[in-house]
Amino acid sequence: MGILSLEPISGWGRHPVSRAAVERPETLRLPEGDTPVLPRGLGRSYGDAAVPATPGGRVIETTRADRVLDFDPEAGILTCEAGLSLAEVLRVFLPRGWFPPVTPGTKFVTIGGCVACDVHGKNHHRDGSFGNFVERLTLQAADGRVIECGPTRERELFLGTVGGMGLTGLITEVTLRLQPVESAWMRVDTEPVSGLAAMMDGLRDAAQDWPYTVGWIDCLADGASLGRGLLMRGRHAARWEAPAHAPSEPRRIAVPLDAPEFLLSPVLMRLFNSAYYRAHTRRRRAVAIVPYQGFFYPLDAVAGWNRLYGPRGFLQYQCVVPRAAGAGAVAALLERLAASGAASFLAVIKDCGPEADAYLSFPLEGTTLALDLPYRGPATEALVHQLNAMVIAAGGRVYLAKDAVTRAEDFARMTPRLAEWRRVRDRWDPERRFRSAQSVRVLGDQA
Amino acid sequence: MKAAVVGATRGMGRAVARLLAERGDAVALLGRDAAELETSARDLSARGARGTIATGHLDLAEPTEFSAALDRADQALGGLDTLVVTAGDFAAQDALERDAERLGRLLDVNFTATAVLCQLAAERFAARGGGTVCAFSSVAGDRARRSNYLYGASKAGLSAFLEGLGLAYADRHVRVICVRPGFVKTGMTAGLPVPPFAGEPDDVARVVVRALDRGTPVVYAPSIWRWVMLPIRLLPRAIMRRVRF
């Protein structure tokens, strides 16, 4: 094809924006030679994880490599090329009674991306993260060798690749276990919660009986209302309680333009959050059978919702603090956010189960918070650094799939198993052929 | 429908084969690379194809093999009634300008070989009472532009051929469909500047399968490209020259 023209490229948060030479191969193969490359899926990581290390860098977009290679209908074991999306897995396999074992808040992610970020979902307290369900990976290493790895085969490479942000090699094939479900409907129980302590207690109590739990927090509320929000618990509806028909695919609306920034002013955001909270507190507790899309992927109904944050984009901040740090650490983070006036549509709170063996996997046993911060330059970055300092003090960490500004020294303090991961990378990619804008920033790779 | 899809392992051909297989049509995947064909056949089966899925060798650079390839597909599916040719050659204009051999190959594959294959299939279908021949041309064939007239010419020739084929075989119940994709983000177009209205292979496949069902003679895919091309087709040459379009 000759010289590739450059495309603008960014994460879902649309900050930072760079340019890249993007390839979309139908069969995943590294280019000959030793040119630096970066694998990228559907571009739903928020920050700079799928942005090349240097403007004009080469990006291998995996989305065209989306074939199902094998499916065992008895055991639900799926082998596919890494660019297959969760949306496609759901479209093809949910009618046959199989559901992804772990899903993030959007279905527009590739299976390879789910592995590389070791994504987690509303069932983390019970099932852990995505890597727990991966039986085998095929990877093309920096020198071109094709390697198979898994929990019992080339285990160190496997543990470095799950959550390894695509920096250990090009993931080409994945074998994973789907979970059987009786219907495409969810039984969901929603309850208003008046404050943070009640929210954290509610999440912990619900974890005993419910496979899926999550809380929504109005993070602009402070004082006695700090941490108020909605607690949602869900499980896959049994055949007898679900409607006989499959839920229809929701109509997607699209955001055609970047929203003007005044819509994100703290005053309007405060009004929006309050109205949302009050709308749900009229009924004390609501139990409903709802389509799976509304429970797992509410934002997928709005194509290009990231444009609502305006032309400068936004940062999504997600951290986890260990249970030992207690509610105080979470309260301190929320207070800091409320004081900053950094508006957010949505803050999500969730309790996590034990951490995975994968070296860079994000979740650890404790509480995770995720929220959007409209990007306003150095002030927003300074706020993230302050929040990071609090997270480090509490023994927590941030999620690389969301991150765009964390400093290398802070990342090292958050990542106790970084040395083990670096050893894997030294073995499989000593020249750092795989690198990203994020790896330059948090790992000190050469730009 | 019992369809042979040429170029079914990649891009738009892959998407068309999937849509056909998902709704229960029998599909023969024809192409050059046996391993890729096998992988694509597994993909269709694992996704729950209900009709027969077969594979077979067909290389657009070997027209003498076309008849045997159609025979094999016919046998595997128990009677072929549809041919979809999505395969084609592509190279950047500057590469074609400099390399006569490369240019000759592209013209051969996109025009000569595709026309020979479609003619052969139309004659077969006509002999047994009817069928559908569908080939992928391009909006690049609608109007020659300085930046891609070599590729465009191969597709303009193909569009003209398909129009004539449709007229010639209409009485013998052979429907001919000319698909004119706009810019579609596939492996073939990777690295080219992405214009507005760029489409996805799945968008194209939906348009194509609808056209196969209805027998629409000319379809633009995604559909918006019909309206994008309308003013371009009407643009006076003097203006094209002046704006270096």
Side-chain angles (χ1 to χ4, degrees):
Chain A
M1 172 73 46
I3 295 166
L4 298 168
S5 73
L6 303 184
E7 295 178 23
I9 199 163
S10 71
W12 189 244
R14 303 171 73 212
H15 175 86
V17 180
S18 184
R19 295 180 76 74
V22 183
E23 291 177 54
R24 295 185 181 84
E26 273 112 355
T27 304
L28 292 177
R29 224 171 270 132
L30 280 176
E32 296 288 321
D34 54 5
T35 341
V37 291
L38 177 65
R40 175 182 166 104
L42 278 159
R44 253 46 175 207
S45 61
Y46 284 76
D48 53 1
V51 173
T54 46
R58 203 153 176 173
V59 166
I60 300 177
E61 191 186 290
T62 63
T63 55
R64 295 291 179 259
D66 63 347
R67 287 180 291 194
V68 178
L69 302 173
D70 192 38
F71 182 66
D72 176 347
E74 301 300 316
I77 295 175
L78 168 71
T79 299
C80 62
E81 292 176 327
L84 185 72
S85 70
L86 274 192
E88 197 62 1
V89 170
L90 287 159
R91 192 182 70 78
V92 173
F93 294 104
L94 183 53
R96 293 195 242 171
W98 296 97
F99 199 82
V102 166
T103 175
T106 171
K107 61 182 175 176
F108 299 119
V109 287
T110 62
I111 300 290
C114 288
V115 173
C117 298
D118 194 23
V119 297
H120 58 278
K122 296 177 175 67
N123 58 345
H124 190 273
H125 62 277
R126 192 188 69 165
D127 297 320
S129 50
F130 198 85
N132 283 0
F133 298 87
V134 175
E135 299 202 335
R136 186 187 68 97
L137 294 175
T138 305
L139 198 74
Q140 195 178 12
D143 60 6
R145 271 181 297 170
V146 175
I147 318 287
E148 283 197 5
C149 63
T152 57
R153 182 173 11 180
E154 288 289 358
R155 181 172 164 79
E156 287 186 348
L157 178 60
F158 178 74
L159 296 182
T161 301
V162 172
M165 306 309 288
L167 299 171
T168 55
L170 176 65
I171 302 169
T172 58
E173 292 177 19
V174 180
T175 299
L176 77 150
R177 297 189 303 280
L178 303 181
Q179 61 163 323
V181 294
E182 290 189 21
S183 80
W185 298 81
M186 301 297 296
R187 185 183 169 88
V188 178
D189 177 314
T190 308
E191 184 184 6
V193 175
S194 58
L196 183 63
M199 176 66 82
M200 293 180 68
D201 289 348
L203 284 167
R204 199 176 50 241
D205 292 346
Q208 313 293 322
D209 303 315
W210 293 82
Y212 299 102
T213 63
V214 68
W216 172 85
I217 281 185
D218 173 4
C219 66
L220 297 178
D222 47 16
S225 300
L226 183 82
R228 73 174 180 185
L230 299 172
L231 173 61
M232 280 163 266
R233 319 161 177 95
R235 62 171 167 78
H236 294 280
R239 194 171 291 118
W240 61 266
E241 61 188 339
H245 61 280
S248 56
E249 200 51 37
R251 276 183 77 86
R252 289 189 85 197
I253 54 168
V255 180
L257 296 167
D258 294 345
E261 288 190 357
F262 73 83
L263 282 179
L264 297 164
S265 68
V267 174
L268 285 178
M269 290 309 305
R270 202 177 285 270
L271 282 171
F272 172 85
N273 281 3
S274 290
Y276 188 87
Y277 177 70
R278 283 182 210 296
H280 283 81
T281 47
R282 287 204 193 106
R283 282 178 300 174
R284 222 192 101 53
R285 188 165 176 171
V287 181
I289 302 287
V290 302
Y292 77 92
Q293 298 99 324
F295 180 69
F296 288 107
Y297 313 115
L299 287 173
D300 283 352
V302 187
W305 66 261
N306 52 353
R307 304 185 79 167
L308 294 172
Y309 282 104
R312 284 196 281 177
F314 68 105
L315 307 180
Q316 184 163 95
Y317 187 75
Q318 182 168 2
C319 61
V320 59
V321 291
R323 203 176 303 289
V330 181
L333 287 165
L334 288 174
E335 279 162 4
R336 182 71 200 80
L337 278 161
S340 74
S344 179
F345 274 124
L346 187 72
V348 173
I349 185 168
K350 163 80 196 133
D351 56 327
C352 293
E355 70 180 344
D357 290 338
Y359 305 127
L360 295 190
S361 179
F362 161 71
L364 55 79
E365 188 146 9
T367 305
T368 178
L369 272 180
L371 47 99
D372 298 340
L373 302 170
Y375 186 71
R376 298 293 177 263
T380 318
E381 296 192 16
L383 174 63
V384 170
H385 296 317
Q386 288 166 18
L387 295 172
N388 278 350
M390 298 166 77
V391 169
I392 291 167
R397 59 177 75 129
V398 296
Y399 189 14
L400 286 180
K402 307 289 178 76
D403 184 57
V405 300
T406 292
R407 293 181 288 233
E409 59 271 27
D410 288 343
F411 181 69
R413 286 188 203 110
M414 295 169 179
T415 315
R417 294 177 293 176
L418 184 57
E420 288 165 272
W421 184 80
R422 282 191 191 277
R423 270 199 295 278
V424 172
R425 198 179 187 210
D426 286 344
R427 179 177 165 205
W428 292 99
D429 186 13
E431 306 298 329
R432 308 289 187 252
R433 186 173 186 193
F434 293 93
R435 55 181 115 133
S436 63
Q438 184 172 72
S439 78
V440 169
R441 180 168 54 77
V442 302
L443 297 167
D445 288 352
Q446 213 174 6
Chain B
M1 193 180 293
K2 293 176 177 178
V5 183
V6 182
T9 61
R10 305 180 63 185
M12 294 180 276
R14 182 187 288 183
V16 169
R18 272 184 188 158
L19 265 190
L20 293 175
E22 268 177 25
R23 59 183 211 168
D25 294 321
V27 185
L29 313 177
L30 304 184
R32 285 180 298 181
D33 185 328
E36 279 292 294
L37 289 167
E38 196 47 48
T39 305
S40 282
R42 272 160 57 202
D43 174 51
L44 299 184
S45 300
R47 285 165 179 263
R50 282 172 287 131
T52 304
I53 304 298
T55 61
H57 179 83
L58 188 147
D59 185 348
L60 282 177
E62 298 168 14
T64 53
E65 302 292 320
F66 290 170
S67 190
L70 291 180
D71 283 344
R72 285 192 297 270
D74 196 82
Q75 257 175 0
L77 302 188
L80 194 64
D81 57 27
T82 302
L83 172 73
V84 183
V85 187
T86 69
D89 194 5
F90 180 81
Q93 172 89 4
D94 54 350
L96 296 171
E97 283 169 357
R98 286 193 309 265
D99 185 340
E101 194 186 332
R102 180 75 192 83
L103 172 60
R105 206 160 67 234
L106 179 133
L107 294 171
D108 276 348
V109 166
N110 286 355
F111 178 72
T112 312
T114 307
V116 168
L117 178 60
C118 290
Q119 179 69 38
L120 196 65
E123 194 53 41
R124 278 176 176 240
F125 293 157
R128 59 169 68 162
T132 304
V133 174
C134 169
F136 276 47
S137 181
S138 167
V139 294
D142 277 22
R143 184 80 197 261
R145 292 170 48 203
R146 60 190 302 149
S147 59
N148 71 345
Y149 70 90
L150 294 170
Y151 171 77
S154 73
K155 293 298 189 178
L158 182 61
S159 294
F161 161 76
L162 292 169
E163 186 173 4
L165 188 72
L167 294 171
Y169 281 78
D171 294 344
R172 298 166 74 190
H173 309 293
V174 177
R175 306 188 301 183
V176 177
I177 296 162
C178 174
V179 181
R180 299 182 186 179
F183 189 98
V184 181
K185 289 201 242 174
T186 63
M188 190 183 94
T189 57
L192 297 176
V194 179
F197 311 115
E200 298 286 327
D202 289 345
D203 302 333
V204 174
R206 276 190 290 274
V207 171
V208 171
V209 171
R210 198 165 56 232
L212 290 174
D213 289 340
R214 295 179 180 172
T216 320
V218 176
V219 285
Y220 288 80
S223 309
I224 191 165
W225 281 88
R226 174 183 294 278
W227 309 111
V228 174
M229 291 313 293
L230 185 66
I232 295 177
R233 283 208 308 272
L234 298 173
L235 214 55
R237 182 176 303 158
I239 294 180
M240 302 254 317
R241 195 180 301 142
R242 192 161 306 154
V243 298
R244 304 182 70 77
F245 190 58

